[in-house]
Amino acid sequence: MRILVVEDDTNLNRQLKDALTDAGYVVDVAFDGEEGHFLGDTEPYDAIVLDIGLPQMDGLSVLEAWRRDGRNTPVLLLTARDRWSDKVQGIDAGADDYVAKPFHMEEVLARLRALVRRAAGHASNEIEAGPIRLDARAGRVTVDGQAIKLTSHEFRLLAYLIHHKGKVISRTELTEHLYDQDFDRDSNTIEVFVGRLRKKLPADCIETVRGLGYQISEG
Ligand code: CA
C-alpha cells in the first residue's frame, strides 16, 4: 500500500513517514501544497495524509482540486486543534476522515487502516481468501491457521492482492502501489516477488491471468 504524506512541518513529516514505513506502507512525502497536489494527481496512492495549513496551496484547495478532477483517493486531513470550521470545510471539500493536531501516531495509523480497508470494501482488519487469512493490523498471515513468515515486500504484495480479491491486478498496478517513486519499475521484479510468495503459500493461491496480471484465488 502506497501512501502520500503532505505536511510542511519537516519534523512531523519525518515522524509520519517513519511511523508509516514501520507499519509496512510505502511512503512518498511532499512539503508544500503544489508538490502534494502534483503527486496526488499523477501517482496512484492508496491513501493520502494531508495537512490543511500548507505553503503554496492550502490543503483544502489541494483536496478540492483533486476531487474536482475526479481523484477519489481516500484522504485523511490533519487539522488544527479546536478549529471545528476546518473539519466542516474539510468534509465538505471531500475528506474521508480527519485527525486533529496534536495527535497520537497510533490514531493516524488506525484511521488510515480503516480508510484503506473501506476503499477496498472491507469492514474488518482481517481479510480471508481461501485458506489464507491476513491481519492487516498485526501484519500477520496464516494459512489454515498456521502462521507463515513473509518479508515486508511479500506481505505488501499479498496484502494488495487480498484487499482486491475478485479482481485481476496488473503488474503495472502492483509496481505503482508497492514501490515509491525512486524504485526501478521493472515488471520482472514483481514476477520474482510473486514467485517467492507462491513458494510460501499453498499451490494455486495466486493465479496468473495471461497477459493481464495476477489474481488471488478465493477457492
Ligand atoms: Ca502545516
Side-chain angles (χ1 to χ4, degrees), residues 6-9 12 51-55 78 101:
V6 191
E7 167 61 66
D8 59 315
D9 178 328
L12 189 54
D51 185 32
I52 285 195
L54 291 169
L78 303 179
K101 292 179 179 180

Side-chain angles (χ1 to χ4, degrees), residues 40-57:
D41 217 23
T42 52
E43 299 288 329
Y45 295 104
D46 296 288
I48 298 174
V49 179
L50 177 66
D51 185 32
I52 285 195
L54 291 169
Q56 319 281 356
M57 187 176 175

Side-chain angles (χ1 to χ4, degrees), residues 62-162:
V62 171
L63 179 56
E64 278 165 358
W66 283 332
R67 295 307 190 228
R68 209 167 39 235
D69 294 334
R71 311 245 169 263
N72 50 12
T73 312
V75 169
L76 178 67
L77 269 189
L78 303 179
T79 68
R81 195 152 79 116
D82 297 335
R83 288 283 301 271
W84 64 269
S85 57
D86 279 0
K87 294 167 195 165
V88 173
Q89 286 177 339
I91 300 292
D92 281 347
D96 297 272
D97 203 354
Y98 58 81
V99 175
K101 292 179 179 180
F103 49 76
H104 288 285
M105 206 50 84
E106 277 306 315
E107 186 178 0
V108 170
L109 291 175
R111 288 182 183 278
L112 270 180
R113 276 195 302 270
L115 286 188
V116 169
R117 224 163 52 209
R118 262 186 266 145
H122 301 287
S124 134
N125 268 311
E126 296 195 26
I127 309 174
E128 285 180 344
I132 307 170
R133 174 182 277 258
L134 181 133
D135 184 334
R137 184 171 49 196
R140 201 175 46 213
V141 176
T142 59
V143 173
D144 289 324
Q146 298 279 69
I148 59 167
K149 251 198 139 112
L150 298 180
T151 64
S152 62
H153 269 106
E154 291 161 355
F155 182 84
R156 289 206 301 256
L157 177 59
L158 181 61
Y160 196 84
L161 289 172
I162 218 165

